[in-house]
Amino acid sequence: MKYTDGDYVVYNGTEICLVDGVTRKSFGDAENDYYVLNPSEAKSTYYVPVENEEKCLRHIISKEKAKAVLDNFNIQVNANNTSHNERKSVLLESAKNGDIDRIIEIANELYSEKIKRESAGKTLTGTDSRTFDLAKHILRNELEKFWYDEHTKEGYEFCKTPIMLNKELWEISGHMDHYKENMFFIQKDEDSDDQFVVKPMNCPFHILIYQA
């Protein structure tokens, strides 16, 4: 088996999961060994046949590949003659296989085409525009997966805080004194004095977590 308990892997080219061991299960008449995967962004469990690991699982990109994404993205290059639809197919296959270099090539080809067309007062075609957005999305996901894995290895714990909270927190923190004119307020109802504020910063929430 290529992966072991505690590994972080990319499932189907897009989703980061924690390998939570291997179990033997029966589906229909067949009994096989399955990886137990816990996705990082969903409360569910996936069972992937060990025999299919090469088809749908791969390791997170290395530090060298992550650096390559940052160093080599948005560089103007000469576009090849690949058709719009073929370019998208190659992009999806490259994402599944973890071919980051090819994804960067496609992104830079489309970036160069975008600059060229804009200089002539035009825009990318609808197909190329969607493919370019997808390429950027894939590269960002790869960097986020790498970042998540590196921080997890160092023992960091992740937290998510509310998008908005009662204005009292922002009065205590001092944000109201400095940023009130740029903050977005939501009143609970017409007869209530309660006001909620869309958070302008994360620090008050993290302080509350630290104090708990």
Side-chain angles (χ1 to χ4, degrees):
M1 288 181 289
K2 189 175 180 179
Y3 308 100
T4 60
D5 193 18
D7 284 349
Y8 280 92
V9 297
V10 181
Y11 175 54
N12 277 344
T14 59
E15 193 166 10
I16 183 171
C17 297
L18 173 68
V19 177
D20 192 18
V22 174
T23 186
R24 192 153 185 89
K25 295 182 72 68
S26 296
F27 290 102
D29 297 329
E31 183 175 333
N32 293 294
D33 290 327
Y34 290 82
Y35 286 113
V36 182
L37 304 182
N38 294 323
S40 59
E41 296 296 329
K43 293 182 179 179
S44 58
T45 301
Y46 302 146
Y47 295 95
V48 178
V50 172
E51 62 185 21
N52 291 343
E53 62 183 15
E54 296 294 336
K55 296 180 179 179
C56 52
L57 297 178
R58 63 176 173 83
H59 286 293
I60 293 170
I61 60 172
S62 65
K63 183 180 294 186
E64 290 73 23
K65 285 297 182 182
K67 186 175 185 302
V69 173
L70 297 174
D71 290 344
N72 299 321
F73 181 59
N74 273 12
I75 297 176
Q76 293 196 49
V77 297
N78 293 321
N80 58 33
N81 295 321
T82 306
S83 69
H84 305 307
N85 293 329
E86 183 181 354
R87 184 181 284 134
K88 184 175 181 180
S89 298
V90 172
L91 176 64
L92 293 173
E93 186 63 26
S94 299
K96 186 175 181 179
N97 296 333
D99 189 350
I100 302 302
D101 293 333
R102 187 68 184 104
I103 297 172
I104 294 174
E105 288 177 8
I106 293 172
N108 285 339
E109 288 174 8
L110 290 168
Y111 172 72
S112 302
E113 181 68 15
K114 180 174 182 288
I115 297 299
K116 179 181 177 181
R117 292 179 69 88
E118 286 179 348
S119 65
K122 301 178 181 179
T123 60
L124 282 176
T125 65
T127 301
D128 278 347
S129 180
R130 289 189 293 272
T131 302
F132 188 36
D133 287 342
L134 179 59
K136 291 186 289 183
H137 175 73
I138 291 170
L139 291 174
R140 173 174 175 165
N141 278 351
E142 292 293 336
L143 290 175
E144 287 180 346
K145 293 164 190 170
F146 166 75
W147 177 91
Y148 185 91
D149 189 44
E150 288 295 300
H151 282 74
T152 300
K153 289 176 182 176
E154 295 298 324
Y156 284 87
E157 295 182 3
F158 300 91
C159 63
K160 292 183 179 180
T161 56
I163 298 299
M164 65 181 70
L165 203 67
N166 194 288
K167 70 174 184 179
E168 291 181 1
L169 175 64
W170 309 107
E171 291 172 343
I172 295 172
S173 68
H175 286 81
M176 291 280 281
D177 295 333
H178 299 282
Y179 308 108
K180 183 176 181 180
E181 66 277 10
N182 294 317
M183 294 168 68
F184 187 79
F185 293 83
I186 299 175
Q187 191 165 325
K188 191 174 181 180
D189 56 58
E190 294 183 0
D191 299 324
S192 174
D193 293 329
D194 288 339
Q195 280 189 316
F196 286 77
V197 181
V198 177
K199 66 177 180 180
M201 298 181 184
N202 288 317
C203 38
F205 294 96
H206 293 162
I207 291 171
L208 290 176
I209 293 172
Y210 181 78
Q211 290 177 336

